[in-house]
Amino acid sequence: MAEKLVAVKGMNDILPAESAHWEWLESELRDLMATYAYRNVRTPIVEPTGLFVRGLGEVTDIVEKEMYSFEDRLNGEALTLRPEATAGVVRAVVENNLLYDGPRRLYYMGPMFRHERPQRGRYRQFHQVGAEALGFAGPDVDAELIFMACDLWAKLGLTQVRLEINSLGQPDERLAHREALISYLSAQESLLDEEAKRRLHSNPLRILDTKNPAMQGLVNDAPKLMDYLGEASLAHFNGLRAILDDAQVPYHINPRLVRGMDYYNLSVFEFVTEELGSQGTICAGGRYDGLIAQIGGKPAPAVGWALGVERILELLKSQSLLPAAPVPDVYVVVPSADHAMVAAQVCRALRTAGAQVHMHAGTADGQGSMKSQFKRADGSGATWAVILGGDELAAGAVSVKHLRGGADAQGTVSLGDLAAWWAGQAA
Ligand code: ATP
Ligand code: MG
């Protein structure tokens, strides 16, 4: 036998037992987006590498070490599997002039690729659903996006999710803070871990985000960006807080919330849970007013978030909120290969009437005595078995049997009445 081939490490198959949950969650999300009048956008999974280098920033974790980049063998173009979708959505918006010819509130769903160390809640192919609002400067839209996420937790029944917010101000404010931060951290360089030492002069803000327990004291006392914000930045932040307060949405201000991409400014936020170990951020976002100009569009503000589908599903599972596995309505028992045509006819009539029908297959290969078919019908979870054969079929009818102890336990239905019969059951 040939050597068995396996999937790429950190990239998972999503098999039916789980994909039913995915489809359900995706459909809840589509409904949610519709209630906010956000419209779907689908951008390519492969983009020019330069989009991410320019959009996300050269000294971010993603661009430095997490991208799957390759050269197009045919023309040498530098390409990358998208590590996130905001840059691609912004490219598409600029390229297609949506900022001036709407819609400007968009959402996406799909796979992202990052070369990370695979662990619980962290994969190399993972999935995000994201919402982006382009061309709006005010905190009302920041709040709208936060409301949308809160509505989702409520709709799904999720609890134990905490909202954290912060403001990253504007680039010049960050620059002043950066200097203070570098001199504070440099003075205690012996307390820095390797990662922090490496970032000290390239991206010191990210050090605040460290998960190293040994450095918590150090970063807790570090100069706070909030103290370097000018009037306009503070007004934006307070504007957001006022809307959240008025709507009674609870939040914590986390001065160490900095986010991984360079494109963020002003409001940033994360929804975090303690129930998923160290991968506890289930949704994250913020304002990125500079990104549109950064990738060649006419300057315009924007804000958005992305949620991690795997982490949301894991949290739903741990809170026992996942829906039951789907089951067919009807299992059609087919005694022999000779019944193939009548089976097809019966299934079609029932499906047209709206039933979910599982037809027993395999009798032509000798699979399935009547006894084993009834066992399978029971195991399928179907509510009804429809049985072809015998005297009933000779009289132009099938027998129906309720498999879940229903009132109409057994009966016969003529072939021409199947749709009406199903309509009666479904009502
Ligand atoms: P983290 O700090 O966990 O690495 P991040 O800041 O890199 O997160 P974002 O790029 O903001 O994450 O992505 C938004 C969300 O997507 C995260 O909050 C998380 O739920 C999810 N996510 C990010 N990276 C992964 C991954 N490798 N595997 C699974 N989910 C992920
Ligand atoms: Mg990351």
Side-chain angles (χ1 to χ4, degrees), residues 314-327:
E314 172 116 13
L315 188 60
L316 285 161
K317 187 175 171 195
S318 85
Q319 297 187 6
S320 305
L321 295 168
L322 288 171
V327 293

Side-chain angles (χ1 to χ4, degrees), residues 329-335 346-347 350 357-358 373-374 377 384-388 398-401 403 413 415 418 421-422:
D329 297 313
V330 176
Y331 192 104
V332 175
V333 174
V334 186
V346 166
C347 288
L350 289 169
V357 181
H358 179 127
Q373 287 198 43
F374 273 111
W384 288 92
V386 166
I387 305 117
L388 314 179
V398 295
S399 27
V400 298
K401 182 167 190 271
L403 298 173
V413 178
L415 289 174
L418 278 167
W421 170 74
W422 180 251

Side-chain angles (χ1 to χ4, degrees), residues 61-62 66 114 116 122 206:
D61 281 354
I62 293 181
E66 294 176 358
R114 296 184 195 174
E116 304 202 65
R122 195 174 290 286
R206 283 290 275 166

Side-chain angles (χ1 to χ4, degrees), residues 62 66 83-84 114 116 121-128 206 209 211 259-261 264 270 278-279 281-285 306-311:
I62 293 181
E66 294 176 358
E84 57 94 63
R114 296 184 195 174
E116 304 202 65
R122 195 174 290 286
Y123 310 100
R124 291 181 174 172
Q125 174 172 332
F126 63 99
H127 298 76
Q128 289 183 335
R206 283 290 275 166
D209 197 25
K211 290 175 179 134
R259 312 288 304 112
M261 272 73 91
Y264 286 110
E270 289 191 354
S278 51
Q279 266 57 254
T281 304
I282 55 171
C283 176
L307 60 77
V309 176
E310 286 85 353
R311 293 187 195 175

